[in-house]
């Protein structure tokens, strides 16, 4: 995605972000089709700086690109004793509740909050039942997907990962389902609402793109800049009372959750971010396992670009 975008001129590898509008507590940045990671880091730093001065800071970004891991930016607030927020819209992959046309992105939400003597609370979730990557994994393994993850061209739930990916690529109908699954019985309309909320707070608010307009094709069918949009927020704990007391209360709450009664056959109750922190600690010692197909892709890209490639 990144390499091809730069090669095709759709992603500008070196372009400065500019401030479109600004108040003491808020701002909108134009990323000028630059890398999402660059725009995201700059915007979150600005949000943190504003929060340090006036208690809260929110910065929206338009004309950006895919920015990687949403939690990375939310967690930037933690060393500053702040709660961090990171939202982004994305390419349309999700059908609206009762629909069969992809018009909404997976639109992730991330929030990070510090806890005293405990790992921080780190929520990082798509507003679809699963991200596209999960469907790709099931397709790679030739496994049937659980019912409720995605729909076929009729708009009905299907477990055929290959069919879903084929239909997504060729825009034949169907796609990922909102968080909660098909229809309203299991709350799919709530996931759909969360996805729309992200679009409102990113694309609509910043003056950028939303829904089907993200990664929209030109009239002649050619690719255009993505115009992905983000929102970053920082809340200084000082503005809500004693910061240390908040961190203690959150740690207490997390402990109560872990120690509460487990469902039959279950050994642990996890706090959001806990699995990832434990995995990071494990892989810091053992090394990070990478799927052979991912290794092959990296080797192919490195070869195309003439970059020496080694993997120890």
């Amino acid at each position: 995605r990144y390499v091809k975008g730069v090669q095709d001129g759709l992603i500008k590898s070196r372009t400065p972000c500019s401030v479109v509008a600004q108040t003491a507590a808020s701002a909108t940045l134009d990323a000028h089709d630059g890398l999402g990671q660059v725009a995201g880091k700059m915007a979150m730093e600005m949000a943190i700086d504003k929060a340090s001065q006036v208690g809260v800071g929110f910065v929206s970004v338009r004309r950006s690109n895919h920015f990687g891991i949403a939690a990375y930016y939310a967690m930037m607030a933690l060393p500053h004793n702040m709660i961090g927020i990171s939202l982004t819209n994305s390419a349309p992959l999700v059908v609206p509740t009762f629909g069969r046309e992809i018009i909404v992105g997976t639109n992730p939400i991330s929030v990070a909050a510090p806890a005293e003597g405990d790992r921080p609370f780190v929520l990082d979730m798509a507003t679809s039942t699963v991200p596209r990557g999960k469907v790709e994994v099931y397709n790679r393994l030739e496994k049937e997907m659980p019912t409720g993850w995605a729909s076929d061209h009729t708009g009905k739930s299907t477990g055929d990962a290959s069919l879903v990916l084929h239909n997504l690529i060729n825009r034949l109908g169907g796609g990922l389902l909102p968080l909660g699954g098909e229809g309203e019985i299991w709350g799919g309309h709530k996931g759909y609402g969360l996805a729309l909320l992200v679009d409102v707070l990113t694309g609509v608010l910043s003056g950028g793109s939303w829904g089907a307009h993200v990664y929209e094709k030109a009239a002649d069918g050619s690719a255009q800049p993505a115009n992905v949009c983000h929102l970053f927020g920082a809340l200084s704990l000082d503005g809500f009372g004693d910061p240390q007391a908040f961190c203690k209360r959150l740690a207490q709450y997390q402990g109560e959750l872990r120690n509460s009664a487990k469902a039959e056959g279950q050994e642990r109750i996890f706090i959001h971010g806990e699995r990832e922190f434990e995995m990071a600690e494990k892989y810091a010692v053992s090394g990070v396992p990478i799927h052979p197909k991912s290794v092959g892709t990296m080797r192919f890209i490195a070869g195309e670009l003439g970059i020496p490639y080694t993997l120890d």
Side-chain angles (χ1 to χ4, degrees):
R1 181 197 302 236
Y2 304 131
V3 172
K4 191 174 188 309
V6 172
Q7 288 175 330
D8 293 346
L10 300 175
I11 299 177
K12 306 296 190 297
S13 58
R14 299 189 182 208
T15 184
C17 294
S18 61
V19 178
V20 177
Q22 184 167 205
T23 70
S26 63
T28 295
L29 301 182
D30 190 324
H32 298 286
D33 304 322
L35 290 158
Q37 289 83 349
V38 176
K41 184 171 184 293
M42 176 181 174
M44 191 64 198
E45 287 174 343
M46 184 179 289
I48 291 168
D49 181 61
K50 288 180 178 295
S52 69
Q53 297 181 52
V54 297
V56 296
F58 282 91
V59 179
S60 67
V61 181
R62 70 189 189 202
R63 293 212 294 166
S64 183
N65 281 282
H66 186 269
F67 71 5
I69 304 168
Y72 174 85
Y73 308 97
M75 291 174 68
M76 285 174 62
L78 295 176
H80 302 274
N81 225 19
M82 296 180 183
I83 295 172
I85 300 169
S86 171
L87 316 175
T88 186
N89 62 16
S90 57
L93 293 170
V94 180
V95 297
T97 299
F98 303 133
R100 60 186 176 90
E101 178 185 358
I102 52 172
I103 197 170
V104 185
T106 56
N107 295 5
I109 296 172
S110 181
V111 178
E116 185 174 283
D118 198 356
R119 294 188 179 99
F121 167 83
V122 182
L123 173 71
D124 187 345
M125 54 170 270
T127 52
S128 55
T129 302
V130 291
R132 174 172 170 163
K134 276 281 183 73
V135 179
E136 291 173 343
V137 168
Y138 272 70
N139 179 55
R140 192 180 302 137
L141 299 176
E142 298 181 349
K143 288 176 59 178
E144 183 86 358
M145 295 187 303
T147 302
W149 278 15
S151 64
D152 61 17
H153 58 283
T154 69
K156 298 299 182 182
S157 181
T158 178
D160 189 336
S162 176
L163 173 66
V164 171
L165 291 174
H166 174 76
N167 288 352
L168 280 173
I169 292 168
N170 296 287
R171 295 294 186 101
L172 298 177
L176 303 182
L177 287 165
L179 185 62
E182 181 185 347
E184 294 181 331
I185 293 176
W186 302 108
H189 60 296
K190 298 179 182 179
Y192 170 41
L194 287 173
L196 297 191
L197 174 65
V198 173
D199 258 331
V200 169
L201 294 178
T202 57
V204 179
L205 182 64
S206 69
S209 290
W210 59 85
H213 302 295
V214 182
Y215 286 95
E216 189 174 30
K217 300 284 188 182
D220 63 0
S222 61
Q224 300 184 106
N227 201 357
V228 174
C229 301
H230 324 298
L231 179 73
F232 303 94
L235 306 176
S236 175
L237 296 178
D238 292 321
F240 297 88
D242 180 359
Q244 189 174 13
F246 169 87
C247 294
K248 285 182 177 179
R249 289 194 299 269
L250 180 54
Q252 178 184 343
Y253 184 24
Q254 293 184 164
E256 290 169 353
L257 289 165
R258 289 191 192 97
N259 295 324
S260 63
K262 316 299 184 292
E264 187 174 337
Q266 300 300 317
E267 297 181 356
R268 289 185 64 179
I269 294 173
F270 291 89
I271 309 300
H272 294 80
E274 196 166 31
R275 290 178 186 268
E276 290 79 2
F277 282 119
E278 290 181 2
M279 191 172 291
E281 290 166 3
K282 173 185 174 182
Y283 290 162
V285 176
S286 66
V288 181
I290 306 174
H291 194 280
K293 286 195 176 182
S294 297
V295 174
T297 300
M298 288 189 286
R299 282 184 172 145
F300 176 77
I301 293 172
E304 274 199 327
L305 300 178
I307 298 172
Y309 181 91
T310 58
L311 185 65
D312 296 327

